């Protein structure tokens, strides 16, 4: 009798474990289906954006983000010459040298007959504001902001290092000022007086009235 009771208990325990195993398999299967669905939807979104030549630059301006952007847009250029390209921009700014590299690259695409639309959502600050100027069409969201300021930098070492760095910064600022002034209501001298010693924040309406963008969405 004791053996029968033990066997029944073992059978009950085995059945319980089998049910738990089935439940775990079902949960795993549902998780795999959800993951597959998520990956499929994400891939479809990326494919749709690429097919319509929409690039999202939602980053600081640095070596990696610029390299990634240049690589993707170069691919689009090879695949579809003269296709219109839209860049959705939300950037706090970043490194001037890499930013100017991207600016020059976008201008080269314009010379190759690509129409570049840059749409700022959130902010186009510092170097981001300069990149906004690379678009044939410059657009800001109604609640977006543009920020312009002098080049910020740190220098260590001997006084000669400071002089060399300052000379480079002045050359950078000269280029940035010309870019910002080119289509705005200001000349280079006026731009310099506006950005000195402060962060100059503009909302979309102000940016439009001063010629830093072409329209508001």
């Amino acid at each position: 009798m004791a053996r029968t009771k033990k066997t029944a208990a073992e059978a009950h325990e085995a059945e319980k474990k089998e049910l738990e195993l089935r439940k775990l398999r079902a949960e795993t299967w549902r998780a795999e289906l959800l993951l597959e669905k998520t990956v499929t939807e994400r891939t479809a979104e990326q494919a749709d954006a690429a097919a319509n030549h929409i690039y999202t630059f939602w980053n600081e301006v640095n070596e990696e983000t610029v390299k990634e952007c240049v690589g993707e847009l170069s691919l689009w250029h090879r695949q579809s010459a003269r296709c219109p390209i839209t860049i959705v921009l939300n950037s706090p700014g970043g490194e001037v040298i890499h930013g100017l590299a991207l600016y020059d690259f976008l201008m080269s695409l314009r010379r190759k007959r690509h129409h570049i639309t840059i749409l700022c959502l959130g902010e186009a600050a510092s170097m981001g504001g300069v990149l906004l100027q690379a678009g044939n069409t410059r657009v800001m969201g109604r609640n977006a902001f543009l920020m312009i300021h002098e080049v910020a930098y740190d220098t260590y070492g001997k006084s000669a290092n400071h002089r060399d760095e300052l000379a480079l910064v002045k050359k950078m600022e000269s280029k940035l000022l010309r870019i910002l002034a080119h289509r705005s209501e200001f000349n280079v001298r006026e731009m310099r007086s506006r950005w000195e010693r402060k962060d100059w924040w503009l909302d979309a309406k102000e940016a439009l009235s001063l010629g830093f963008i072409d329209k508001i969405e």
Side-chain angles (χ1 to χ4, degrees):
M1 180 66 72
R3 179 59 182 171
T4 303
K5 288 182 178 179
K6 187 176 181 181
T7 301
E10 289 175 345
H12 176 72
E13 186 64 26
E15 183 179 355
K16 182 180 177 182
K17 289 183 178 179
E18 179 63 24
L19 288 173
E20 290 176 350
L21 183 58
R22 289 179 183 177
K23 182 180 178 182
L24 179 60
R25 287 172 178 166
E27 290 175 350
T28 302
W29 179 69
R30 284 194 295 269
E32 289 175 348
L33 284 179
L34 180 60
L35 177 60
E36 183 179 351
K37 180 182 178 183
T38 301
V39 170
T40 300
E41 290 175 348
R42 179 61 178 161
T43 302
E45 289 174 3
Q46 292 175 335
D48 183 63
N52 290 284
H53 304 113
I54 301 171
Y55 187 88
T56 301
F57 195 103
W58 213 266
N59 298 293
E60 293 183 1
V61 179
N62 57 44
E63 181 179 0
E64 290 304 315
T65 58
V66 168
K67 186 187 297 183
E68 181 180 332
C69 182
V70 169
E72 186 70 8
L73 270 56
S74 295
L75 177 62
W76 293 353
H77 166 67
R78 293 192 298 272
Q79 292 175 337
S80 183
R82 301 186 181 183
C83 65
I85 294 172
T86 297
I87 298 174
V88 181
L89 176 71
N90 183 17
S91 176
E95 300 174 29
V96 175
I97 294 297
H98 295 301
L100 287 173
L102 180 53
Y103 178 88
D104 285 345
F105 174 73
L106 294 175
M107 295 301 291
S108 75
L109 290 179
R110 287 177 53 178
R111 289 191 293 272
K112 294 171 183 174
R113 308 295 294 277
H114 292 275
H115 185 96
I116 308 292
T117 298
I118 300 183
L119 168 61
C120 167
L121 299 177
E123 65 175 346
S126 188
M127 197 64 220
V130 176
L131 288 176
L132 180 58
Q133 305 308 307
N136 296 86
T137 305
R138 304 160 300 166
V139 188
M140 285 178 68
R142 294 186 180 277
N143 298 300
F145 290 91
L146 169 67
M147 190 272 278
I148 298 169
H149 66 180
E150 296 174 289
V151 173
Y153 71 101
D154 293 316
T155 299
Y156 302 94
K158 299 178 181 179
S159 60
N161 299 125
H162 289 263
R163 290 194 295 272
D164 291 342
E165 189 73 12
L166 182 58
L168 175 59
V169 167
K170 287 183 176 179
K171 289 181 180 180
M172 290 179 181
E173 289 188 336
S174 178
K175 292 181 182 296
L176 299 180
L177 286 166
R178 284 199 297 270
I179 291 170
L180 290 165
H182 179 60
R183 294 157 73 184
S184 77
E185 297 295 318
F186 303 102
N187 59 36
V188 171
R189 180 181 56 80
E190 292 168 334
M191 278 297 310
R192 187 182 296 278
S193 68
R194 289 278 182 152
W195 82 350
E196 283 183 341
R197 299 188 179 89
K198 66 178 181 181
D199 291 343
W200 181 23
W201 286 96
L202 303 169
D203 63 23
K205 288 184 178 180
E206 291 170 323
L208 180 62
S209 68
L210 295 176
F212 293 113
I213 61 171
D214 303 299
K215 65 178 183 177
I216 298 171
E217 269 193 8

